[in-house]
Amino acid sequence: MALKNALIALMAPLPSYFFYTSFLNHYQNDQHLLSPLWNWCYRHPLILANILFFLNIDVGFWLISLLQSSNWMIDLYWTVIPVLLTHYFASYPDGQYNMWRSSAVVVLTWVWAIRLTHNYFRREKWQWGAREDWRFTDMAQQHGQNWWWVSFFGVYLIQQVFLFGVCVPLYIVHSVNKSINIWDVIALIICVCGIVYAYIADTELYTFVTKNEELKEEGKAMVPNLDKGLWYYSRHPNYFGEQLWWWGLAIFGWNLGGTWVFIGALINTLCLAYVTTLVEKRMLKQEYRAESYKMYQKTTSIWVPWFKSPQKEVLKEKDI
């Protein structure tokens, strides 16, 4: 099954790849049978990217999910699609951009994607498609027999809105040729901090979960709550790191005149805020950790880290 899922995941984006390659090879040939199509594609890079996403991801991945009764692949491709979009915009024939800024964004996007993909496989014990996101499983139970069509909108089409919203800066970076300035440096620093911060937080979480699994197998009491390292300063430092990355990327686009690019990062933040509430409700349903997590909620920031001195903790415990 793992090999089968790996082959499916590797072959899934090929239709878009072959179409785009054909476009690059023939868009200058006015005698080609499909020259009207290639000319249209040349004039509408964003629309073309959205059409390819809709047909290949929304429809294609959805059909695969119906055959497999699992929506596991969209989780993996959340880390891959930004890389594909980066190279799509960078290689577009009509692209205009500063080579240094483009190179920085391409490298940053690859580093971000490698980190997130590594975390995905580490979390899934290095298996392809072993399970789908628990949120999709819960939604499937809620919608019952209607899930087969609801999933198209609730899992795939909505991902297109979110992903293109946060990835618009990648398009702007490769459509405006402007000299490097201080805002590029600031954006780069924020993106790097976000990647590093999220990596440390996810590694601490992975270590915690692995240790608890070992304790459970040994029949010992599990540790109810992770409140060490970055998790000492906020309840979801991994989410905070991800937000730093997307807002840093948005600054790249804003610096080039895309004053509205923050909308994508804002929508993503609001969505993640909703996901955070679901995660915390799920934590509180686990009896062995409910009371400990309630205390954790009262003494620790939800996202943004802030210092907690021992004196403050003592005072808060007295108040509780």
Side-chain angles (χ1 to χ4, degrees):
M1 179 62 74
L3 179 58
K4 175 184 175 182
N5 286 339
L7 290 174
I8 291 174
L10 293 172
M11 294 176 63
L14 291 183
S16 291
Y17 171 79
F18 289 134
F19 181 89
Y20 185 60
T21 301
S22 296
F23 160 69
L24 292 179
N25 290 333
H26 298 108
Y27 77 95
Q28 291 180 313
N29 183 3
D30 292 334
Q31 305 303 316
H32 192 271
L33 178 65
L34 298 177
S35 60
L37 174 62
W38 304 138
N39 289 332
W40 183 92
C41 292
Y42 179 80
R43 296 192 303 270
H44 302 93
L46 268 179
I47 297 176
L48 174 60
N50 273 278
I51 291 175
L52 291 177
F53 192 111
F54 179 80
L55 295 176
N56 201 158
I57 307 297
D58 295 349
V59 177
F61 282 26
W62 173 64
L63 292 175
I64 292 173
S65 76
L66 295 180
L67 293 173
Q68 292 194 308
S69 299
S70 175
N71 297 285
W72 68 273
M73 199 157 58
I74 194 64
D75 231 18
L76 172 62
Y77 266 86
W78 178 272
T79 74
V80 177
I81 290 171
V83 174
L84 297 178
L85 285 173
T86 300
H87 288 285
Y88 168 86
F89 294 131
S91 63
Y92 214 80
D94 199 32
Q96 301 178 34
Y97 50 87
N98 179 284
M99 184 59 68
W100 287 105
R101 181 183 293 110
S102 171
S103 298
V105 169
V106 169
V107 170
L108 284 171
T109 306
W110 266 101
V111 173
W112 169 84
I114 291 171
R115 183 210 75 78
L116 205 57
T117 305
H118 168 263
N119 184 63
Y120 168 83
F121 280 112
R122 179 174 61 177
R123 186 187 69 213
E124 300 300 311
K125 303 185 186 304
W126 308 103
Q127 300 179 76
W128 293 76
R131 58 180 178 175
E132 67 178 0
D133 191 298
W134 60 268
R135 290 166 293 183
F136 300 151
T137 303
D138 288 352
M139 290 170 67
Q141 293 175 351
Q142 293 170 10
H143 293 282
Q145 294 182 347
N146 292 322
W147 178 239
W148 73 271
W149 65 267
V150 172
S151 62
F152 175 77
F153 300 94
V155 177
Y156 298 96
L157 192 60
I158 193 66
Q159 300 288 348
Q160 180 166 354
V161 176
F162 290 146
L163 266 170
F164 267 90
V166 292
C167 287
V168 164
L170 299 173
Y171 168 69
I172 297 176
V173 165
H174 293 101
S175 59
V176 178
N177 191 349
K178 180 181 176 181
S179 299
I180 297 291
N181 59 36
I182 187 62
W183 284 109
D184 291 298
V185 177
I186 292 172
L188 186 147
I189 291 173
I190 292 175
C191 286
V192 170
C193 288
I195 293 170
V196 173
Y197 200 90
Y199 170 77
I200 294 173
D202 277 331
T203 298
E204 290 173 345
L205 178 60
Y206 172 76
T207 302
F208 172 77
V209 171
T210 302
K211 181 62 178 178
N212 261 353
E213 289 175 349
E214 293 173 356
L215 292 172
K216 186 177 181 179
E217 290 178 0
E218 295 170 1
K220 299 178 180 179
M222 293 187 290
V223 180
N225 195 43
L226 171 58
D227 56 2
K228 308 293 183 183
L230 297 181
W231 299 79
Y232 177 82
Y233 301 102
S234 68
R235 303 200 301 272
H236 301 279
N238 50 346
Y239 292 173
F240 178 68
E242 278 299 296
Q243 291 310 298
L244 283 179
W245 157 257
W246 291 118
W247 282 93
L249 196 63
I251 291 175
F252 275 113
W254 168 81
N255 180 43
L256 298 174
T259 54
W260 45 273
V261 296
F262 290 113
I263 295 176
L266 178 60
I267 292 175
N268 186 62
T269 297
L270 294 175
C271 176
L272 197 55
Y274 173 68
V275 171
T276 301
T277 63
L278 298 181
V279 171
E280 299 219 328
K281 287 180 181 179
R282 193 166 184 251
M283 299 283 279
L284 293 172
K285 288 180 181 179
Q286 300 173 4
E287 294 184 5
Y288 80 97
R289 68 167 19 135
E291 290 303 317
S292 175
Y293 200 78
K294 288 178 182 178
M295 177 74 73
Y296 186 51
Q297 286 178 312
K298 293 177 180 179
T299 60
T300 311
S301 166
I302 187 168
W303 276 2
V304 182
W306 57 286
F307 180 72
K308 298 188 302 179
S309 68
Q311 292 81 4
K312 283 185 177 180
E313 290 192 356
V314 170
L315 289 174
K316 287 185 177 181
E317 289 180 10
K318 286 182 178 180
D319 291 338
I320 293 169

PDB file of all heavy atoms in Angstrom, residues 256-276:
ATOM      1  N   LEU A 256       6.717  45.148  -3.350  1.00  0.00           N
ATOM      2  CA  LEU A 256       6.716  45.338  -4.802  1.00  0.00           C
ATOM      3  C   LEU A 256       5.421  45.957  -5.310  1.00  0.00           C
ATOM      4  O   LEU A 256       5.129  45.908  -6.504  1.00  0.00           O
ATOM      5  CB  LEU A 256       6.977  43.992  -5.496  1.00  0.00           C
ATOM      6  CG  LEU A 256       8.331  43.358  -5.187  1.00  0.00           C
ATOM      7  CD1 LEU A 256       8.433  41.973  -5.805  1.00  0.00           C
ATOM      8  CD2 LEU A 256       9.474  44.239  -5.688  1.00  0.00           C
ATOM      9  N   GLY A 257       4.638  46.507  -4.385  1.00  0.00           N
ATOM     10  CA  GLY A 257       3.417  47.197  -4.789  1.00  0.00           C
ATOM     11  C   GLY A 257       2.142  46.421  -4.589  1.00  0.00           C
ATOM     12  O   GLY A 257       1.048  46.942  -4.872  1.00  0.00           O
ATOM     13  N   GLY A 258       2.230  45.200  -4.130  1.00  0.00           N
ATOM     14  CA  GLY A 258       1.027  44.399  -3.892  1.00  0.00           C
ATOM     15  C   GLY A 258       0.436  44.699  -2.529  1.00  0.00           C
ATOM     16  O   GLY A 258       0.564  43.895  -1.595  1.00  0.00           O
ATOM     17  N   THR A 259      -0.211  45.856  -2.411  1.00  0.00           N
ATOM     18  CA  THR A 259      -0.710  46.299  -1.106  1.00  0.00           C
ATOM     19  C   THR A 259      -1.794  45.383  -0.540  1.00  0.00           C
ATOM     20  O   THR A 259      -2.069  45.417   0.655  1.00  0.00           O
ATOM     21  CB  THR A 259      -1.274  47.728  -1.212  1.00  0.00           C
ATOM     22  OG1 THR A 259      -2.259  47.768  -2.253  1.00  0.00           O
ATOM     23  CG2 THR A 259      -0.167  48.718  -1.567  1.00  0.00           C
ATOM     24  N   TRP A 260      -2.391  44.575  -1.387  1.00  0.00           N
ATOM     25  CA  TRP A 260      -3.493  43.708  -0.961  1.00  0.00           C
ATOM     26  C   TRP A 260      -3.049  42.286  -0.648  1.00  0.00           C
ATOM     27  O   TRP A 260      -3.869  41.453  -0.298  1.00  0.00           O
ATOM     28  CB  TRP A 260      -4.545  43.667  -2.077  1.00  0.00           C
ATOM     29  CG  TRP A 260      -3.926  43.485  -3.433  1.00  0.00           C
ATOM     30  CD1 TRP A 260      -3.461  44.469  -4.244  1.00  0.00           C
ATOM     31  CD2 TRP A 260      -3.672  42.255  -4.121  1.00  0.00           C
ATOM     32  NE1 TRP A 260      -2.930  43.943  -5.411  1.00  0.00           N
ATOM     33  CE2 TRP A 260      -3.053  42.585  -5.356  1.00  0.00           C
ATOM     34  CE3 TRP A 260      -3.909  40.920  -3.828  1.00  0.00           C
ATOM     35  CZ2 TRP A 260      -2.668  41.622  -6.272  1.00  0.00           C
ATOM     36  CZ3 TRP A 260      -3.531  39.959  -4.751  1.00  0.00           C
ATOM     37  CH2 TRP A 260      -2.920  40.320  -5.948  1.00  0.00           C
ATOM     38  N   VAL A 261      -1.749  42.002  -0.762  1.00  0.00           N
ATOM     39  CA  VAL A 261      -1.305  40.618  -0.592  1.00  0.00           C
ATOM     40  C   VAL A 261      -1.463  40.126   0.845  1.00  0.00           C
ATOM     41  O   VAL A 261      -1.473  38.914   1.086  1.00  0.00           O
ATOM     42  CB  VAL A 261       0.175  40.442  -1.009  1.00  0.00           C
ATOM     43  CG1 VAL A 261       0.347  40.718  -2.479  1.00  0.00           C
ATOM     44  CG2 VAL A 261       1.092  41.320  -0.188  1.00  0.00           C
ATOM     45  N   PHE A 262      -1.595  41.034   1.796  1.00  0.00           N
ATOM     46  CA  PHE A 262      -1.756  40.610   3.185  1.00  0.00           C
ATOM     47  C   PHE A 262      -3.104  39.935   3.427  1.00  0.00           C
ATOM     48  O   PHE A 262      -3.294  39.271   4.453  1.00  0.00           O
ATOM     49  CB  PHE A 262      -1.597  41.807   4.127  1.00  0.00           C
ATOM     50  CG  PHE A 262      -0.198  42.328   4.210  1.00  0.00           C
ATOM     51  CD1 PHE A 262       0.123  43.576   3.727  1.00  0.00           C
ATOM     52  CD2 PHE A 262       0.823  41.554   4.768  1.00  0.00           C
ATOM     53  CE1 PHE A 262       1.421  44.063   3.798  1.00  0.00           C
ATOM     54  CE2 PHE A 262       2.123  42.029   4.843  1.00  0.00           C
ATOM     55  CZ  PHE A 262       2.421  43.285   4.355  1.00  0.00           C
ATOM     56  N   ILE A 263      -4.031  40.106   2.487  1.00  0.00           N
ATOM     57  CA  ILE A 263      -5.345  39.478   2.646  1.00  0.00           C
ATOM     58  C   ILE A 263      -5.206  37.960   2.718  1.00  0.00           C
ATOM     59  O   ILE A 263      -5.848  37.297   3.531  1.00  0.00           O
ATOM     60  CB  ILE A 263      -6.285  39.883   1.489  1.00  0.00           C
ATOM     61  CG1 ILE A 263      -6.574  41.384   1.552  1.00  0.00           C
ATOM     62  CG2 ILE A 263      -7.582  39.080   1.546  1.00  0.00           C
ATOM     63  CD1 ILE A 263      -7.406  41.897   0.392  1.00  0.00           C
ATOM     64  N   GLY A 264      -4.350  37.397   1.855  1.00  0.00           N
ATOM     65  CA  GLY A 264      -4.143  35.948   1.863  1.00  0.00           C
ATOM     66  C   GLY A 264      -3.576  35.465   3.178  1.00  0.00           C
ATOM     67  O   GLY A 264      -4.043  34.466   3.752  1.00  0.00           O
ATOM     68  N   ALA A 265      -2.559  36.179   3.684  1.00  0.00           N
ATOM     69  CA  ALA A 265      -1.953  35.800   4.963  1.00  0.00           C
ATOM     70  C   ALA A 265      -2.961  35.954   6.093  1.00  0.00           C
ATOM     71  O   ALA A 265      -3.001  35.130   7.027  1.00  0.00           O
ATOM     72  CB  ALA A 265      -0.720  36.654   5.232  1.00  0.00           C
ATOM     73  N   LEU A 266      -3.801  36.998   6.024  1.00  0.00           N
ATOM     74  CA  LEU A 266      -4.810  37.230   7.063  1.00  0.00           C
ATOM     75  C   LEU A 266      -5.850  36.114   7.070  1.00  0.00           C
ATOM     76  O   LEU A 266      -6.221  35.606   8.134  1.00  0.00           O
ATOM     77  CB  LEU A 266      -5.482  38.584   6.844  1.00  0.00           C
ATOM     78  CG  LEU A 266      -6.603  38.943   7.827  1.00  0.00           C
ATOM     79  CD1 LEU A 266      -6.073  38.979   9.259  1.00  0.00           C
ATOM     80  CD2 LEU A 266      -7.235  40.284   7.450  1.00  0.00           C
ATOM     81  N   ILE A 267      -6.336  35.736   5.881  1.00  0.00           N
ATOM     82  CA  ILE A 267      -7.323  34.651   5.790  1.00  0.00           C
ATOM     83  C   ILE A 267      -6.734  33.362   6.326  1.00  0.00           C
ATOM     84  O   ILE A 267      -7.398  32.599   7.052  1.00  0.00           O
ATOM     85  CB  ILE A 267      -7.796  34.472   4.331  1.00  0.00           C
ATOM     86  CG1 ILE A 267      -8.615  35.683   3.888  1.00  0.00           C
ATOM     87  CG2 ILE A 267      -8.619  33.193   4.179  1.00  0.00           C
ATOM     88  CD1 ILE A 267      -9.014  35.658   2.426  1.00  0.00           C
ATOM     89  N   ASN A 268      -5.473  33.105   5.989  1.00  0.00           N
ATOM     90  CA  ASN A 268      -4.813  31.903   6.486  1.00  0.00           C
ATOM     91  C   ASN A 268      -4.695  31.931   8.008  1.00  0.00           C
ATOM     92  O   ASN A 268      -4.888  30.917   8.681  1.00  0.00           O
ATOM     93  CB  ASN A 268      -3.427  31.778   5.861  1.00  0.00           C
ATOM     94  CG  ASN A 268      -2.744  30.482   6.217  1.00  0.00           C
ATOM     95  OD1 ASN A 268      -3.209  29.398   5.887  1.00  0.00           O
ATOM     96  ND2 ASN A 268      -1.620  30.580   6.913  1.00  0.00           N
ATOM     97  N   THR A 269      -4.400  33.101   8.559  1.00  0.00           N
ATOM     98  CA  THR A 269      -4.292  33.239  10.008  1.00  0.00           C
ATOM     99  C   THR A 269      -5.642  32.992  10.676  1.00  0.00           C
ATOM    100  O   THR A 269      -5.722  32.301  11.705  1.00  0.00           O
ATOM    101  CB  THR A 269      -3.781  34.645  10.377  1.00  0.00           C
ATOM    102  OG1 THR A 269      -2.463  34.808   9.847  1.00  0.00           O
ATOM    103  CG2 THR A 269      -3.734  34.836  11.885  1.00  0.00           C
ATOM    104  N   LEU A 270      -6.699  33.556  10.107  1.00  0.00           N
ATOM    105  CA  LEU A 270      -8.043  33.356  10.670  1.00  0.00           C
ATOM    106  C   LEU A 270      -8.449  31.884  10.600  1.00  0.00           C
ATOM    107  O   LEU A 270      -9.062  31.351  11.533  1.00  0.00           O
ATOM    108  CB  LEU A 270      -9.059  34.224   9.923  1.00  0.00           C
ATOM    109  CG  LEU A 270      -8.886  35.746  10.089  1.00  0.00           C
ATOM    110  CD1 LEU A 270      -9.877  36.481   9.194  1.00  0.00           C
ATOM    111  CD2 LEU A 270      -9.069  36.150  11.543  1.00  0.00           C
ATOM    112  N   CYS A 271      -8.098  31.236   9.488  1.00  0.00           N
ATOM    113  CA  CYS A 271      -8.396  29.806   9.353  1.00  0.00           C
ATOM    114  C   CYS A 271      -7.643  29.001  10.397  1.00  0.00           C
ATOM    115  O   CYS A 271      -8.195  28.099  11.025  1.00  0.00           O
ATOM    116  CB  CYS A 271      -8.024  29.340   7.942  1.00  0.00           C
ATOM    117  SG  CYS A 271      -8.240  27.561   7.686  1.00  0.00           S
ATOM    118  N   LEU A 272      -6.374  29.346  10.594  1.00  0.00           N
ATOM    119  CA  LEU A 272      -5.564  28.632  11.579  1.00  0.00           C
ATOM    120  C   LEU A 272      -6.071  28.885  12.995  1.00  0.00           C
ATOM    121  O   LEU A 272      -5.969  28.019  13.863  1.00  0.00           O
ATOM    122  CB  LEU A 272      -4.097  29.047  11.456  1.00  0.00           C
ATOM    123  CG  LEU A 272      -3.076  28.116  12.115  1.00  0.00           C
ATOM    124  CD1 LEU A 272      -3.224  26.691  11.605  1.00  0.00           C
ATOM    125  CD2 LEU A 272      -1.661  28.615  11.846  1.00  0.00           C
ATOM    126  N   ALA A 273      -6.640  30.076  13.228  1.00  0.00           N
ATOM    127  CA  ALA A 273      -7.233  30.365  14.533  1.00  0.00           C
ATOM    128  C   ALA A 273      -8.405  29.430  14.790  1.00  0.00           C
ATOM    129  O   ALA A 273      -8.582  28.920  15.914  1.00  0.00           O
ATOM    130  CB  ALA A 273      -7.686  31.821  14.591  1.00  0.00           C
ATOM    131  N   TYR A 274      -9.203  29.176  13.738  1.00  0.00           N
ATOM    132  CA  TYR A 274     -10.327  28.240  13.870  1.00  0.00           C
ATOM    133  C   TYR A 274      -9.819  26.820  14.112  1.00  0.00           C
ATOM    134  O   TYR A 274     -10.347  26.096  14.971  1.00  0.00           O
ATOM    135  CB  TYR A 274     -11.184  28.285  12.612  1.00  0.00           C
ATOM    136  CG  TYR A 274     -12.267  27.234  12.575  1.00  0.00           C
ATOM    137  CD1 TYR A 274     -13.340  27.284  13.447  1.00  0.00           C
ATOM    138  CD2 TYR A 274     -12.188  26.167  11.679  1.00  0.00           C
ATOM    139  CE1 TYR A 274     -14.329  26.313  13.426  1.00  0.00           C
ATOM    140  CE2 TYR A 274     -13.168  25.196  11.639  1.00  0.00           C
ATOM    141  CZ  TYR A 274     -14.243  25.262  12.519  1.00  0.00           C
ATOM    142  OH  TYR A 274     -15.205  24.294  12.497  1.00  0.00           O
ATOM    143  N   VAL A 275      -8.785  26.425  13.368  1.00  0.00           N
ATOM    144  CA  VAL A 275      -8.201  25.093  13.556  1.00  0.00           C
ATOM    145  C   VAL A 275      -7.666  24.942  14.981  1.00  0.00           C
ATOM    146  O   VAL A 275      -7.799  23.880  15.602  1.00  0.00           O
ATOM    147  CB  VAL A 275      -7.067  24.852  12.534  1.00  0.00           C
ATOM    148  CG1 VAL A 275      -6.298  23.571  12.862  1.00  0.00           C
ATOM    149  CG2 VAL A 275      -7.635  24.775  11.129  1.00  0.00           C
ATOM    150  N   THR A 276      -7.088  26.020  15.512  1.00  0.00           N
ATOM    151  CA  THR A 276      -6.559  25.987  16.873  1.00  0.00           C
ATOM    152  C   THR A 276      -7.650  25.664  17.877  1.00  0.00           C
ATOM    153  O   THR A 276      -7.442  24.892  18.815  1.00  0.00           O
ATOM    154  CB  THR A 276      -5.905  27.342  17.226  1.00  0.00           C
ATOM    155  OG1 THR A 276      -4.853  27.608  16.292  1.00  0.00           O
ATOM    156  CG2 THR A 276      -5.323  27.311  18.625  1.00  0.00           C
TER     157      THR A 276
END
